[in-house]
């Protein structure tokens, strides 16, 4: 029997449909109102109280900007004061379809009226449908679901190490057995903040407070095959983790020679090649998967950020030879792949995977980079504009933080990357050329308001 959503024609009781319709109407009323419902004075007081309560009640692990977001629509967000912002951060490359996407809302509210969570003790149609979409459009033979990008990389770590033990011919469940276990990652990489993924991540400041790190992590230089060859060794290396396009590290695309060379080195060493496409995957670069530009296939790929347009989800895609070593009980998650988030992810995937959509992303990415070069290129603080698709970085020779703040005052939300010296722009993939023009003009104005540092 074929499982097909269309958007999944489930049978449902009338009360569920009525509940879903009511919830959808409520959401539309809340999300489509672009004017503040209170006075500016009251909103300011409310903003101040929200920020004060955040500091009082929430663990202070984030450096938040002093605004309170109320709602959004398309590529725009609005704060409690009613100010509009072009969102070129997209929740850190998460809101690929922007805010208030109608098919996503309809799908989400319909599924919420049916069943949201079951655990992985039972089969559900949305999970199977999402896995089918991911597998049939990629190199993968199997999918594993989790709840975030760092969880996806933790899963890939476990899959890689068990694969190395099985391939070495030892009993994977024998604690005394020895097998290759080293994991290679690269300069400027970011793979997550949980302990395994953190051990692979480049920035020392993220790691030092939590020493000691997981043993076996080895760093090489990104886009440097000679450096990689020095540490990828048969009998030692279990896997190599690499981002085809680095996001947090500074919007750095890998070279074709680098990724193809890593594939060859991994094959020679008997190691797995893992592509982390948590930020650069699912349409962000103008192809469905970033590595498809390179003519290289990994053994495992991790994905997450845009997959459900803001709902927590992650996934690992695996080739069959990796999947074959995993058995029931080897890994799992309570929340992963629940019907609500998988159904929402299917609605996201069905829009992004369209060839015309992907072609538009590539064209808009080229347009954004060209406009940035024209508008900012004469400023001595701008070193270069780089990236791929709508993952774009403006390399500065000074801190990009003041430019982010000034851009926010001009109505554009952006973030930093690299060593804090890159302006990172990862807008919703649905941004228009007119909105790009507006954003670039605002960034250019903002740059003129940032004082040039003197030595």
């Amino acid at each position: 029997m074929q499982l097909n959503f269309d958007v999944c024609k489930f049978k449902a009781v009338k009360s569920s449909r009525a509940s879903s319709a009511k919830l959808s109407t409520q959401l539309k009323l809340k999300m489509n109102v672009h004017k503040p419902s209170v006075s500016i004075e009251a909103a300011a007081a409310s903003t101040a109280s929200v920020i004060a309560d955040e500091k009082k009640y929430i663990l202070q692990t984030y450096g938040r900007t002093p605004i309170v977001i109320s709602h959004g629509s398309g590529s725009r967000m609005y704060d409690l004061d009613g100010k509009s912002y072009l969102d070129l951060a997209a929740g850190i490359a998460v809101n690929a379809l922007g805010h208030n996407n109608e098919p996503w809302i309809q799908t989400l509210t319909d599924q919420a009226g049916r069943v949201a969570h079951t655990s992985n003790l039972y089969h559900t149609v949305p999970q199977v449908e999402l896995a089918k979409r991911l597998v049939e459009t990629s190199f993968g033979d199997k999918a594993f679901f989790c709840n975030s990008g760092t969880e996806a990389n933790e899963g890939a770590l476990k899959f890689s190490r068990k694969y190395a033990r099985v391939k070495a011919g030892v009993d994977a469940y024998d604690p005394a057995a020895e097998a290759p276990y080293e994991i290679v990652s690269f300069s400027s990489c970011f793979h997550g903040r949980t302990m395994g993924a953190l051990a692979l991540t480049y920035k020392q400041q993220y790691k030092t407070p939590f020493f000691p790190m997981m043993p076996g992590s080895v760093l090489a230089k990104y886009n440097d095959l000679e450096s990689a060859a020095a540490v990828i060794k048969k009998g030692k290396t279990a896997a190599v983790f690499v981002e085809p396009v680095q996001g947090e590290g500074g919007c750095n695309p890998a070279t074709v020679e680098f990724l193809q060379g890593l594939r060859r080195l991994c094959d020679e060493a008997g190691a797995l090649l893992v592509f982390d496409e948590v930020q650069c995957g699912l349409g962000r670069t103008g192809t469905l998967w970033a590595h498809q530009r390179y003519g290289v296939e990994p053994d495992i790929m991790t994905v997450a950020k845009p997959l459900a347009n803001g709902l927590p989800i992650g996934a690992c895609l695996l080739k069959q030879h990796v999947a074959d070593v995993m058995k029931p009980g080897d890994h799992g998650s309570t929340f992963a792949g629940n019907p609500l988030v998988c159904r929402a992810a299917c609605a996201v995937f069905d829009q992004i995977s369209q060839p015309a959509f992907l072609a538009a992303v590539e064209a808009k990415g080229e347009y954004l980079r060209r406009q940035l070069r024209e508008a900012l290129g004469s400023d001595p603080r701008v070193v270069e504009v780089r990236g791929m698709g709508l993952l774009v970085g403006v390399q500065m020779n000074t801190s990009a933080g003041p430019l982010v703040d000034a851009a926010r005052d001009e109505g554009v939300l952006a973030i930093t990357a690299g060593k804090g010296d890159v302006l990172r722009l990862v807008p919703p993939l649905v941004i228009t050329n007119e909105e790009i023009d507006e954003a670039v003009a605002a960034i250019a104005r903002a740059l003129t308001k940032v004082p040039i540092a003197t030595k």
Side-chain angles (χ1 to χ4, degrees):
M1 174 177 131
Q2 175 146 1
L3 300 174
N4 192 346
F5 268 154
D6 250 20
V7 198
C8 262
K9 297 177 180 176
F10 302 110
K11 292 182 179 179
V13 295
K14 290 182 179 179
S15 60
S16 288
R17 294 194 180 280
S19 176
S20 294
K22 181 179 180 182
L23 180 56
S24 181
T25 300
Q26 290 172 341
L27 276 169
K28 289 175 187 175
L29 287 172
K30 290 180 180 178
M31 300 178 78
N32 283 332
V33 178
H34 297 160
K35 294 181 180 180
S37 58
V38 294
S39 69
I40 296 298
E41 294 78 13
S46 179
T47 294
S49 65
V50 169
I51 292 174
D53 283 350
E54 184 272 339
K55 291 180 179 178
K56 181 177 180 180
Y57 295 110
I58 297 178
L59 185 65
Q60 296 297 290
T61 57
Y62 301 102
R64 302 180 197 262
T65 58
I67 59 174
V68 179
I69 297 299
S70 167
H71 58 285
S73 179
S75 298
R76 296 184 186 274
M77 292 203 297
Y78 302 82
D79 67 17
L80 285 182
D81 299 329
K83 182 172 180 177
S84 168
Y85 302 88
L86 272 172
D87 183 10
L88 270 64
I92 316 181
V94 167
N95 301 112
L97 297 177
H99 309 280
N100 201 11
N101 177 263
E102 189 63 30
W104 182 84
I105 291 173
Q106 290 177 350
T107 300
L108 181 63
T109 53
D110 182 78
Q111 186 61 45
R114 301 173 186 279
V115 61
H117 177 76
T118 62
S119 84
N120 285 296
L121 295 175
Y122 313 102
H123 299 280
T124 62
V125 172
Q127 187 180 108
V128 171
E129 283 295 317
L130 179 57
K132 186 187 301 183
R133 283 161 167 78
L134 295 173
V135 166
E136 290 182 350
T137 59
S138 75
F139 69 94
D141 298 301
K142 293 289 191 294
F144 173 84
F145 292 111
C146 51
N147 307 287
S148 66
T150 194
E151 285 185 44
N153 284 324
E154 293 285 349
L157 277 168
K158 292 176 73 173
F159 305 155
S160 298
R161 283 198 165 171
K162 188 178 182 193
Y163 178 83
R165 291 171 73 80
V166 171
K167 189 174 180 182
V170 303
D171 180 355
Y173 301 96
D174 178 1
E178 295 186 358
Y181 69 94
E182 290 184 352
I183 309 293
V184 174
S185 58
F186 294 92
S187 58
S188 299
C189 72
F190 182 85
H191 296 294
R193 292 179 181 266
T194 49
M195 289 302 282
L198 184 61
L200 305 185
T201 292
Y202 179 68
K203 278 190 179 179
Q204 201 64 25
Q205 70 193 62
Y206 292 162
K207 301 192 284 189
T208 305
F210 312 107
F211 273 6
M213 287 287 102
M214 176 190 77
S217 57
V218 182
L219 275 172
K221 187 176 179 181
Y222 191 70
N223 272 337
D224 187 329
L225 265 184
E226 188 174 334
S227 173
V231 295
I232 300 173
K233 300 295 183 183
K234 188 174 182 66
K236 288 188 175 183
T237 306
V240 175
F241 277 62
V242 65
E243 299 156 276
V245 184
Q246 292 182 332
E248 170 84 8
C251 308
N252 305 308
T255 65
V256 172
E257 296 76 17
F258 182 59
L259 290 192
Q260 290 182 349
L262 289 182
R263 178 72 274 175
R264 175 179 52 80
L265 290 171
C266 286
D267 291 342
E268 292 171 355
L272 297 180
L273 180 59
V274 181
F275 284 166
D276 178 341
E277 294 212 14
V278 168
Q279 185 160 163
C280 65
L282 197 61
R284 173 61 56 184
T285 64
T287 53
L288 191 58
W289 309 113
H291 71 269
Q292 290 173 335
R293 290 180 175 274
Y294 292 87
V296 183
E297 287 190 348
D299 301 289
I300 303 174
M301 179 173 70
T302 57
V303 299
K305 283 181 179 289
L307 189 51
N309 205 52
L311 294 183
I313 189 172
C316 289
L317 298 180
L318 310 85
K319 284 191 173 180
Q320 192 62 48
H321 60 269
V322 183
D324 285 341
V325 308
M326 298 301 294
K327 307 299 179 187
D330 278 346
H331 196 38
S333 169
T334 297
F335 291 103
N338 73 46
L340 184 69
V341 71
C342 285
R343 183 97 184 271
C346 284
V348 173
F349 187 92
D350 289 347
Q351 293 178 69
I352 292 178
S353 61
Q354 296 301 313
F357 187 102
L358 294 170
V361 171
E362 182 166 14
K364 287 184 285 190
E366 292 174 355
Y367 184 72
L368 173 57
R369 292 191 296 277
R370 183 169 66 250
Q371 296 300 95
L372 286 167
R373 291 184 185 112
E374 291 179 2
L376 310 180
S378 62
D379 192 291
R381 293 165 293 183
V382 175
V383 177
E384 70 169 335
V385 176
R386 61 174 178 258
M388 188 179 290
L390 284 170
L391 202 171
V392 176
V394 179
Q395 178 69 59
M396 313 284 290
N397 60 19
T398 185
S399 171
L403 178 55
V404 168
D405 293 338
R408 184 176 67 249
D409 292 340
E410 294 291 331
V412 171
L413 300 178
I415 47 181
T416 61
K419 299 176 181 177
D421 56 356
V422 176
L423 178 72
R424 181 173 20 160
L425 305 175
V426 282
L429 304 184
V430 295
I431 194 170
T432 65
N433 282 357
E434 292 74 22
E435 289 170 332
I436 288 173
D437 289 340
E438 181 184 340
V440 170
I443 292 169
R445 289 195 305 272
L447 188 56
T448 66
K449 297 178 181 180
V450 177
I452 297 178
T454 56
K455 294 184 179 180

